[in-house]
Amino acid sequence: MSNALGLEVKTIVETPPEEVERVKEWINTDEYKEKNFARQALVINPAHACQPLGAQLAAHGFEGTLPFVHGSQGCASYYRSTLNRHFREPAPAVSDAMTEDGAVFGGQNNLHEGLENAYAIYKPKMIAVFTSCMPEVIGDDLTAFIKNAKQKGFVPKEMPVPYANTPSFSGTHINGYDSMLLSILQNLTEGKQIEGRCTGKLNLIPGCDFNTGDYREYKRILEAFGIPYTVLADISDSFDSPCDGNYHLYAGGTKLDDAADSINCKATIAIGSYSTAKTFGWVKDNFSGKHASLPMPMGIEKTDAFIMKVAELFGKDVPASLKNERGRAVDAITDSHQYIHGKKFAVYGDPDYLMGYVSFLLEVGARPHHILCSRGNKKVEKDLQALLDGSPFGQGCKIYMNKDLWHLRSLLMTDPVDGIIGDSHGKFAARDAKVPLFRFGFPIFDRVNKHRYPLIGYQGAINMMTEICNKFIDIKDDTCEDRLFELMR
Amino acid sequence: MSNALGLEVKTIVETPPEEVERVKEWINTDEYKEKNFARQALVINPAHACQPLGAQLAAHGFEGTLPFVHGSQGCASYYRSTLNRHFREPAPAVSDAMTEDGAVFGGQNNLHEGLENAYAIYKPKMIAVFTSCMPEVIGDDLTAFIKNAKQKGFVPKEMPVPYANTPSFSGTHINGYDSMLLSILQNLTEGKQIEGRCTGKLNLIPGCDFNTGDYREYKRILEAFGIPYTVLADISDSFDSPCDGNYHLYAGGTKLDDAADSINCKATIAIGSYSTAKTFGWVKDNFSGKHASLPMPMGIEKTDAFIMKVAELFGKDVPASLKNERGRAVDAITDSHQYIHGKKFAVYGDPDYLMGYVSFLLEVGARPHHILCSRGNKKVEKDLQALLDGSPFGQGCKIYMNKDLWHLRSLLMTDPVDGIIGDSHGKFAARDAKVPLFRFGFPIFDRVNKHRYPLIGYQGAINMMTEICNKFIDIKDDTCEDRLFELMR
Amino acid sequence: MSDKIRKVEGITKESTEALIAETLSVYPEKAKKKRAPHLGANDPASGSACVKSNKKTVPGVMSARGCAYAGAKGVVWGPIRDMVHVSHGPVGCGWYSWGTRRNMMSGITGVTSFPMQFTSDFQEKDIVYGGDKKLKTLLEEAHELFPLAKGISVLSECPVGLIGDDINSVAKQSAKELDIPIIPCNCEGFRGVSQSLGHHISNDTIRDFIIGTREYAEPESPYDIALIGEYNIGGDAWSTKPLLEECGFNVKSVWTGDGELEKIAATHKVKLNVIHCYRSMNYMCKVMEEKYGIPWVELNFFGPTKIRNSLRQLAELFDDTIKAKVEAVIAKYDPIMQAIVDEYKPRLDGKKVMLLVGGLRPRHTIGAYEDLGMDCVGSGYEFAHTDDYDRTAPEMPDATVVYDDPSEYEFEKFAAALKPDLVGSGIKEKYVFQKMGVPFRQMHSWDYSGPYHGYKGFEVFARDVDMAINSPTWKLVKAPF
Amino acid sequence: MSDKIRKVEGITKESTEALIAETLSVYPEKAKKKRAPHLGANDPASGSACVKSNKKTVPGVMSARGCAYAGAKGVVWGPIRDMVHVSHGPVGCGWYSWGTRRNMMSGITGVTSFPMQFTSDFQEKDIVYGGDKKLKTLLEEAHELFPLAKGISVLSECPVGLIGDDINSVAKQSAKELDIPIIPCNCEGFRGVSQSLGHHISNDTIRDFIIGTREYAEPESPYDIALIGEYNIGGDAWSTKPLLEECGFNVKSVWTGDGELEKIAATHKVKLNVIHCYRSMNYMCKVMEEKYGIPWVELNFFGPTKIRNSLRQLAELFDDTIKAKVEAVIAKYDPIMQAIVDEYKPRLDGKKVMLLVGGLRPRHTIGAYEDLGMDCVGSGYEFAHTDDYDRTAPEMPDATVVYDDPSEYEFEKFAAALKPDLVGSGIKEKYVFQKMGVPFRQMHSWDYSGPYHGYKGFEVFARDVDMAINSPTWKLVKAPF
């Protein structure tokens, strides 16, 4: 029998319950894991987004800056809502709403009309343009388009309109962040280098970090040092702004003048060697002063490294307040080490976060048993392996490069761990594996205020240790027999 | 049949399982609740300790101060271990180890020998003496004893040896705190008032608060104002000291010189009108400048009141950084209000904490349904009732004065709530009632680092809101059907 | 349609038109000219649209709109629980739309239901060499790892169309080889002006590949209906489906909330299609009407007044058995609903709400607010068409502002003037208004709550609206210093 | 007793005595004179105490000791699960000892077991007018609210004795009226010099009010034994009791861990008392020996070496059936224990531990550390007597320092000189050493872990010791700047 379309017509038959049961068990087996890891084409539950998202994050990090998506308006809606959900904050951005015509005529008209309108309505000090798929596929020439826009007066000639090519079919959000940030810095500092001038300031580039608490923590640390600084791409006020009855379209960001003058700095530290690779490469060659690229200062050792680098670059001693803070963090850690010692973790996320999680876990005596990097290169793998090799707690831990959260599920079901560190998307695998998910990183859609608690610095180490240990105690309290339920833990 | 002692000898009979089952159900009934609330003499699971514990806390709040228990050495061991467990920190204190002889001869010899040894071995700058039961029952005259000790040279004449009578059979630890603090201040400031001198400083008395984060938060706020201050009885470094390889017997505390000069202050704020009642009464009459007694600044409204009082006393505007902080806290609260709105809580604890919890819950739209005060007077009840009367969310909420955690259990089983706020001792009732216990207050024996996170100030409001809301979301995630388990919350 | 023309104090045609003019004054001429026809004062008496709609979004103005892919993946296909839905192209589109629409699902994840993100995660080389071969491999892998999936949809993202891949032929070949339905859907984001075209394309795809390919195993009955345009947001379908069953109907399939492919494929056998979200699925109702002679009726399941009217309207199309059951149902729920109204209305009476949602709720929810004593003082759609605005006119009070695809700027300006007690819109707008201290509920996703449909939903809706408006936290917004 | 005299490199009688002298140098003369006899260098060959003990604590020196009440409530009575234990007097003593000793309990809280805090919460007026009447009322209330409690203990706090209350007469009268055992225990904290007198008083009270008042329902057997001085810290008894049962014994009662009043009361019917904590319960062993002719044997359940020796020592007292079973048990566990040693010893070999605990573990745990390759370089007790120190001498290496009721100052000084890799003591000492970066385990409470007794316990002990010493967190203590 066939229907009007020539398609076969069948009677509906329900899948037998025993077959459902069989498959339900099967997907937890080693056999399934092998098939799952044999995948070549299908990606299931990836732990990374696409470049423009990161580009938008970087754009929000500058004063009066309107992120501008050259592409379909749907793209912009996706980036914006993702940031809204993570930060529970506005994420104002526009697009030039390209449609089919773009494929035929190119996107210049959309870009020009978009710039004109955006400038008139939203009165930005800078418009940061980045691309989604369409213009990348059709090959729009943004250099020319923007030059023309200024010539035709759609935006003032003096207004910075940096742009970045951020094709979604290459890299992840961290690369988009890097490209946009680089473009902004190139644009703002162009011609601003002054021979002999030194601002005496430290440029700090926090990297593609979605935790506003981290930004504030960096600043607090530098203030403890008494070192003048410019945080480049400072999203802290942009995505953690007061609720006081007034909405500010541009709630925060690095002052454009400071960013322009950053080229005359005393030193620059770029955090996150993967999400600031291109930017740091350029800064190193173009900014005055000294330059350092450091891993995210997660845990005591990596924070020590950061602190010492700052001290070294500025020839300062580490202030007593930070020494004490370090001591208190170590105290918090030694006080609680027994709750995490030897515990196995699965961790996933962006390479820079991963390096931090792994370093922290190893130094407190936990085992980063499954390390899953959704997208990363050989260098990421080598750096992670070096961390593992440096600790007895790294023995037996394994790195899975370019794998997704459906791979993770197989790992969890066949080689269980005690906890998972990652973003909200891991909650399904965590539920199936019946282990807690520690929501660090990005995105966190299902818990409140997490991005306000720093993960970096000594305070970040306290925060991670506290959350993890208290959760393990929660679990003990929740699941122990009555006779083992007790006042002290 | 009777045994050698003339006692009846019976054969062991096990309680029948159905009888066990019956009683197990019965203790959860309204009938049981009535019997339970009819108790006149028996106290079961009280939520308060005795005076000397609070006295020791106050003593730790001063530079180089050795807490000295005049009484049995067992008492001192109990206070110390309680503080050790809560803070996971040392709590050095000595006792003069009174025994039976004391009942006959009085405790002067013990006190003298104790002072001599303590001074020689532990080299304190001040010895703060407080009493446990024995000397209080036998009526030791500490004024005379200490005078004699100095005359006989057991301790230098110039060394401050304040003392407080802190009988365990009256009041609770908060009263012991108050008495010891008063005695220390009286002792240190004696003769230090200088006509016409004004230090320009604010004295802040945080009250009997066992959260070191709160002390640091007060100081941070005052620093944001740029107001010079002396925190009187500052335990923050005493009970949150660095782990850096060195043990310091006296790790923190208010400088004795600052405490002595506090009498010449510009203003004094005493936090916690119940735990600093006596102290504030005396300060008001004896310290220069202005004086204010304020509730613990928990939640936005009470923090506003604190901030405004500081601003008023010093004729300063509220600094922008605090305004922004307030806005961010309100943002954190409005962002998450839906997770707590209308939720019912049982709360218990010391009166000052209770006032804070209730005020916070009401302002975020939750209901402090059962308010249980382990020990408090009519004023406490009146003040709590006034809070309830001021909000629609206070309707139907009830205050239980001078009740214990076994009463609480009956309330929870017969009139359930969504969550409990209190100390670790509530965990048994919480488990029986199958609701989460939010561990604020004192003591917290079974979770780590809680005392490092402030409950007061705007940051404290974020902390409480975050912990509570995320726990409710945890519960939803943990208990919902598969079909209702989702990425966003 | 509402009984009479309602007015809101202070709102007149003049005031609204002045507000619109004032709002547009900042725009460049060209943009102003484009935007002006999309903003208007409602004329309920006319019963027709006061604005233009379904036009290209003006570049650069911060629209809330999504794209065709969003309409296809997020709205129509995503909710079908027993299919693997492949976001074909780069990683982002699928990632952003993963788990964010709250179309709830039964079943066992990865076994019988698939609320996961499946993507071909295009790389540079796929753009250069084309992705058809990868797609073929991917389909085999999906079938091997998820053997109980009843079918696979392939949802094209922008590059697929731009580089000229032929997913239709891959789908056809693989469907044959794997012996399961594989549905290619050319819903590239650049097509059309909004989500709306994605709905239409998806409807057409259902028409071309699905409808009529299955038949129900159980015998037909005169009370067989399908529930169309019900996406089970926050569990809506778990409120409406049982309600219709309580009224005596057999709900043979739900399009597409918690949907099952084969039941959808057999929908040509029902006696009536009941449509809730007209915008996204009227196409297939019309197809089924034309091709299989199935009548359809458009209902509203928000709030007791609209539910009552809807159920009676539905009963009119059936026999006395149904009519009696429907009256029994109404009689059962009326007092329950009244109790809810009695609880919340005292705290909500006279409060004003402004809406900006998708293609249904800007009109359908008005009655529910009115049940609670509230007035809707402004409403608009992201991606509606004229027929939607026609239907909106009688629902809104006289002269209130209507906005089509408004920019965030326009929406803010209108709100600043109208001072609503509640704004109901999407996540992109939520925190803008909350910063201003204006209570807000997400009306796409029920703000992580729900259901809002049906009697069961009204209780939740009323509670949430009360919570939003009467939370004491708003009193904290203004500092006393 | 150990096989041979062990030495620790660098420790000699001279070095230890110099250390002691140096430590005491800061003390005032009187205190120095008092303290000196309590500190000594071990002489294992002598087999006898090298220090004085059980003397009054020197005032003002920061002792770790508790009081008689603590010994009675915390140690002896508290663990009996089916009794209500009333802390009679002010609120504090009961509150501080509530749930802090980790004597684990079976049963249903508030129904069949009572790990709660019961207090008469004395107020000023109770001091003035006496608390006997309150006590009487309280006992009635307890009986009414906890009808399944098998008895009530009344544990006096300091004021009770000082004001001259007569709890014995109240208890007697109420016991009659309520028809349950009510045991008055005059364990006021001011009595004696430490917890130790509390143990003794409690033992005497058991002798006077409990022992011999019950008989087991089931028939006697030659393998009936009681386990004495096992308090089930961290579940110890749930390791040792099954182990003894596996060896063929009927463990008729445990004193008093997870204890049951009536089974304890019938213990005069067993064939042998096996005692673990000699200090706290030797009194009742001796009473039962004298009065009922029950022999007793002192064993050590820490670490495989001591367990093996202990089980064989026990088997020697019984027939071949038991001997065979014991050998089977040893054969079964030896390889399991060896595996544990093989796992941890490589990381622990040669590490040094210092101990300061209560009345048993400063000697009993030494073998367990040695099983892991560790040396005990200093040990001492809070409240031991000469017979404890006699038993300690052969367990410790030659010339190592022994300290009785040391002040925290002394303990710190010794540790600073001896540089142990681990300190095992109580909560009051824990954070002092951790601040110094010295790994620490609470050896009263097993640091919220356990059990440490028996074979099951050794696995936990070994893991914990390894965790403490080899946690990488200690490497973080010293800042690199």
Side-chain angles (χ1 to χ4, degrees), chain A residues 240-245, chain B residues 220-221 224-225 300 303-304 307-308 311 316-331 458, chain C residues 476-481:
Chain A
D240 181 19
S241 69
C243 178
D244 59 6
Chain B
R220 204 180 56 77
I221 291 170
F225 264 106
I300 302 297
T303 301
D304 287 348
I307 298 271
M308 287 192 293
K316 289 210 172 203
D317 286 337
V318 177
S321 70
L322 289 179
K323 275 189 191 163
N324 283 335
E325 218 178 272
R326 181 191 192 280
R328 292 200 296 267
V330 171
D331 193 68
Y458 300 125
Chain C
L476 304 173
V477 170
K478 282 281 171 200
F481 45 75

Side-chain angles (χ1 to χ4, degrees), chain B residues 22-75:
Chain B
R22 185 192 68 77
V23 175
K24 190 179 159 191
E25 298 297 322
W26 177 62
I27 66 170
N28 299 335
T29 61
D30 275 308
E31 180 198 325
Y32 187 86
K33 179 187 149 194
E34 272 182 41
K35 281 186 197 295
N36 193 13
F37 273 80
R39 271 188 278 138
Q40 297 294 321
L42 179 62
V43 170
I44 310 171
N45 299 353
H48 62 277
C50 64
Q51 288 209 52
L53 180 72
Q56 183 170 335
L57 186 80
H60 283 295
F62 290 87
E63 178 195 9
T65 298
L66 186 66
F68 186 112
V69 180
H70 179 47
S72 163
Q73 84 258 355
C75 308

Side-chain angles (χ1 to χ4, degrees), chain B residues 143-360:
Chain B
T143 311
F145 290 3
I146 292 172
K147 199 172 153 202
N148 298 340
K150 290 193 169 185
Q151 273 170 355
K152 293 184 182 173
F154 293 124
V155 286
K157 284 205 174 54
E158 63 281 7
M159 192 174 72
V161 185
Y163 80 89
N165 291 103
T166 49
S168 299
F169 41 79
S170 168
T172 76
H173 51 278
I174 72 168
N175 306 100
Y177 172 91
D178 199 8
S179 294
M180 186 79 251
L181 176 59
L182 173 58
S183 169
I184 291 171
L185 293 183
Q186 286 175 329
N187 186 304
L188 294 177
T189 61
E190 200 185 340
K192 298 294 165 69
Q193 189 145 38
I194 298 166
E195 195 57 36
R197 171 169 167 77
C198 174
T199 61
K201 285 164 88 176
L202 172 70
N203 294 322
L204 183 80
I205 303 174
C208 188
D209 186 354
F210 294 81
N211 182 308
T212 56
D214 283 350
Y215 292 74
R216 298 197 193 285
E217 195 62 10
Y218 285 119
K219 291 192 271 191
R220 204 180 56 77
I221 291 170
L222 296 175
E223 279 155 24
F225 264 106
I227 289 173
Y229 59 84
T230 297
V231 171
L232 291 169
D234 182 0
I235 61 154
S236 57
D237 287 331
S238 316
F239 286 122
D240 182 20
S241 70
C243 177
D244 58 6
N246 302 301
Y247 169 57
H248 301 282
L249 190 64
Y250 309 108
T254 310
K255 297 263 172 266
L256 299 190
D257 287 347
D258 289 344
D261 208 9
S262 68
I263 198 165
N264 302 306
C265 63
K266 181 163 177 183
T268 300
I269 293 178
I271 301 290
S273 44
Y274 312 106
S275 73
T276 59
K278 277 169 68 177
T279 301
F280 182 70
W282 180 82
V283 160
K284 210 169 40 163
D285 294 339
N286 291 278
F287 276 26
S288 63
K290 293 178 180 168
H291 317 94
S293 171
L294 293 178
M296 285 184 84
M298 279 197 202
I300 302 297
E301 288 171 12
K302 293 283 183 272
T303 301
D304 287 348
F306 172 73
I307 298 271
M308 287 192 293
K309 179 56 78 178
V310 171
E312 176 206 320
L313 290 172
F314 281 75
K316 289 210 172 203
D317 286 337
V318 177
S321 70
L322 289 179
K323 275 189 191 163
N324 283 335
E325 218 178 272
R326 181 191 192 280
R328 292 200 296 267
V330 171
D331 193 68
I333 287 171
T334 54
D335 280 1
S336 9
H337 74 273
Q338 65 267 37
Y339 306 105
I340 197 171
H341 187 97
K343 290 274 197 291
K344 286 184 186 173
F345 285 81
V347 300
Y348 63 89
D350 296 338
D352 291 312
Y353 281 125
L354 272 185
M355 288 291 291
Y357 304 152
V358 169
S359 179
F360 168 74

Side-chain angles (χ1 to χ4, degrees), chain A residues 219-405:
Chain A
K219 291 192 272 192
R220 205 179 57 76
I221 291 169
L222 296 176
E223 279 155 25
F225 264 106
I227 289 174
Y229 60 82
T230 298
V231 171
L232 291 169
D234 182 0
I235 62 154
S236 57
D237 287 330
S238 315
F239 286 122
D240 181 19
S241 69
C243 178
D244 59 6
N246 302 301
Y247 170 57
H248 301 281
L249 190 63
Y250 309 108
T254 311
K255 296 264 173 266
L256 298 191
D257 287 346
D258 289 345
D261 208 10
S262 68
I263 199 165
N264 301 306
C265 62
K266 180 163 179 183
T268 299
I269 293 178
I271 301 290
S273 44
Y274 313 106
S275 74
T276 59
K278 276 169 67 177
T279 302
F280 183 70
W282 180 82
V283 161
K284 211 169 40 164
D285 294 338
N286 290 278
F287 276 25
S288 63
K290 293 178 180 169
H291 316 94
S293 170
L294 294 177
M296 286 185 81
M298 280 196 201
I300 301 298
E301 288 172 13
K302 293 285 182 273
T303 301
D304 287 347
F306 173 73
I307 298 272
M308 287 192 292
K309 179 56 76 176
V310 172
E312 177 205 318
L313 290 173
F314 281 75
K316 290 209 169 203
D317 286 338
V318 178
S321 69
L322 289 179
K323 274 190 192 164
N324 283 335
E325 217 177 273
R326 181 190 192 282
R328 292 200 296 267
V330 171
D331 193 68
I333 286 172
T334 53
D335 280 0
S336 10
H337 74 274
Q338 65 267 36
Y339 306 104
I340 197 172
H341 186 97
K343 289 274 197 289
K344 285 184 188 174
F345 285 81
V347 300
Y348 63 90
D350 296 338
D352 291 312
Y353 281 124
L354 272 184
M355 288 290 293
Y357 305 151
V358 170
S359 179
F360 167 76
L361 289 174
L362 292 173
E363 78 183 16
V364 299
R367 297 180 180 278
H369 191 64
H370 304 307
I371 302 168
L372 189 132
C373 183
S374 195
R375 193 159 293 285
N377 54 26
K378 283 279 164 205
K379 181 173 181 303
V380 176
E381 188 171 8
K382 215 178 108 233
D383 291 350
L384 286 167
Q385 190 61 52
L387 281 180
L388 294 181
D389 293 343
S391 163
F393 294 86
Q395 280 176 35
C397 302
K398 204 171 157 191
I399 301 158
Y400 299 88
M401 293 304 296
N402 300 310
K403 293 291 176 281
D404 57 44
L405 300 185

Side-chain angles (χ1 to χ4, degrees), chain A residues 10 15 58 60 66 87 90 194-195 276 289 297 320 381 397 426 432 459:
Chain A
K10 300 179 190 170
T15 308
H60 283 293
L66 186 66
F87 293 111
I194 297 166
E195 195 57 37
T276 59
E381 188 171 8
C397 302
D432 288 347
Q459 187 59 47

